[in-house]
Amino acid sequence: MNGEISKHCDELNRCNQRGGRMLSVFDLLAAKTLDLDLAAYLMARISKGSSFMAGSVPGGAGKTTVMCALLNFVPIDLPIVAATEQAVYEASNGKPKQRSCYVCHEIGSGDYFAYLWADALRTYCGLFEHGHLLATNLHADNPEQAKNQICNTNGVPGKHFNKFELLIFLRVENAYPGARRWIEEVYSGDGSSGHELIFHANDKRTLDENSEHYLADPEYVTACRDFLTKVSPNVRTIEDTRRQVVEFHSRNKDIKTD
């Protein structure tokens, strides 16, 4: 299992564009980028297989950092694969067959590692048809901007956009090094229809548990919240965090969820 954790975290570290260590969910909680209730909800959804994207128009808002911190919650039996064009096209042809989580480092046309655009992006989103999970980030501040960029500009079918079940949008104030970053909005979908706003930071930072698209079992969310609360304050790195997540799942594998 330690080898799998190392491979998992090595893939997260490949997303690092700014140096230093990659931040974990516990770093983001300490920085108030997200609060405990939201972190528990996102953990409950993503650990059960929800694909997601993080968005923000300004650079430096922390979308890659948030994406990678949340990727530490993906199901423990799913390897993370960098969504290079080669990897995407191979997966679209059924090779390898193992169900995986494909991470597009950014939706963009730049000639950078695991950036996807045009046909490669369409093929990437088509991996939903093969049962894979997808995670990515992009320069968009709301679902309309994200869908316009993905579907209208790049021709991705709307049914594939809808399969990103969680849309997470960040905001940033002030310039580096005094910037303050936080998750402003979270939209949820069931994978087949549109998305519904379930969290807004200015609305008392509460989740709408009565939303049709809340789609998380309350007992499991509580278990995730307890986990995040009780982990030792010495756990901060993505490696230690992933190790704790794996142990959590081994202890809670019998919790039934929707």
Side-chain angles (χ1 to χ4, degrees):
M1 182 58 71
N2 284 335
E4 294 175 5
I5 291 172
S6 294
K7 291 179 181 178
H8 174 98
C9 293
D10 285 346
E11 285 301 328
L12 299 189
N13 281 318
R14 293 176 85 178
C15 298
N16 193 343
Q17 299 175 339
R18 299 181 181 275
R21 73 172 175 85
M22 292 295 292
L23 301 183
S24 70
V25 67
F26 298 108
D27 293 309
L28 300 186
L29 285 166
K32 298 183 178 180
T33 300
L34 75 169
D35 62 19
L36 184 60
D37 288 337
L38 180 58
Y41 173 75
L42 293 174
M43 179 179 179
R45 290 291 304 278
I46 293 168
S47 67
K48 294 301 179 182
S50 291
S51 295
F52 68 95
M53 66 175 67
S56 179
V57 169
K63 55 186 181 292
T64 298
T65 299
V66 167
M67 178 186 74
C68 288
L70 296 179
L71 280 168
N72 246 343
F73 294 147
V74 299
I76 61 176
D77 58 341
L78 262 63
I80 289 179
V81 179
T84 62
E85 290 193 10
Q86 179 179 350
V88 164
Y89 286 121
E90 287 179 354
S92 71
N93 291 321
K95 298 179 181 180
K97 293 184 180 298
Q98 182 179 10
R99 185 168 179 254
S100 303
C101 177
Y102 281 84
V103 180
C104 170
H105 289 198
E106 187 168 304
I107 292 175
S109 58
D111 187 21
Y112 303 104
F113 182 77
Y115 275 46
L116 298 175
W117 198 251
D119 184 66
L121 179 61
R122 292 189 292 275
T123 304
Y124 169 71
C125 293
L127 296 185
F128 284 124
E129 304 295 339
H130 296 264
H132 297 296
L133 268 66
L134 305 184
T136 188
N137 66 75
L138 76 170
H139 289 277
D141 277 338
N142 54 55
E144 293 75 20
Q145 291 179 4
K147 189 171 184 178
N148 180 63
Q149 184 178 150
I150 294 171
C151 298
N152 295 344
T153 301
N154 282 282
V156 171
K159 66 177 183 178
H160 289 163
F161 178 80
N162 288 339
K163 287 187 179 295
F164 286 98
E165 294 182 7
L166 293 167
L167 311 181
I168 302 160
F169 296 100
L170 293 100
R171 298 292 183 268
V172 59
E173 280 185 350
N174 305 322
Y176 180 85
R180 184 174 75 89
R181 305 170 181 86
W182 69 95
I183 292 177
E184 176 80 356
E185 295 178 342
V186 177
Y187 293 78
S188 173
D190 60 6
S192 60
S193 57
H195 298 84
E196 182 179 5
L197 179 68
I198 60 164
F199 173 85
H200 195 293
N202 292 334
D203 187 19
K204 300 180 181 178
R205 300 180 73 87
T206 56
L207 283 156
D208 183 3
E209 297 182 11
N210 296 317
S211 165
E212 179 183 354
H213 288 142
Y214 181 75
L215 301 176
D217 182 85
E219 180 185 356
Y220 186 53
V221 174
T222 297
C224 291
R225 193 181 194 281
D226 289 345
F227 161 76
L228 293 169
T229 303
K230 295 175 182 177
V231 166
S232 167
N234 295 325
V235 173
R236 278 297 180 92
T237 66
I238 58 173
E239 292 81 8
D240 286 344
T241 299
R242 183 62 176 176
R243 192 170 294 109
Q244 292 292 324
V245 168
V246 170
E247 291 178 3
F248 166 81
H249 282 295
S250 67
R251 295 193 304 267
N252 292 276
K253 60 185 178 181
D254 293 329
I255 292 181
K256 295 181 180 180
T257 62
D258 294 338

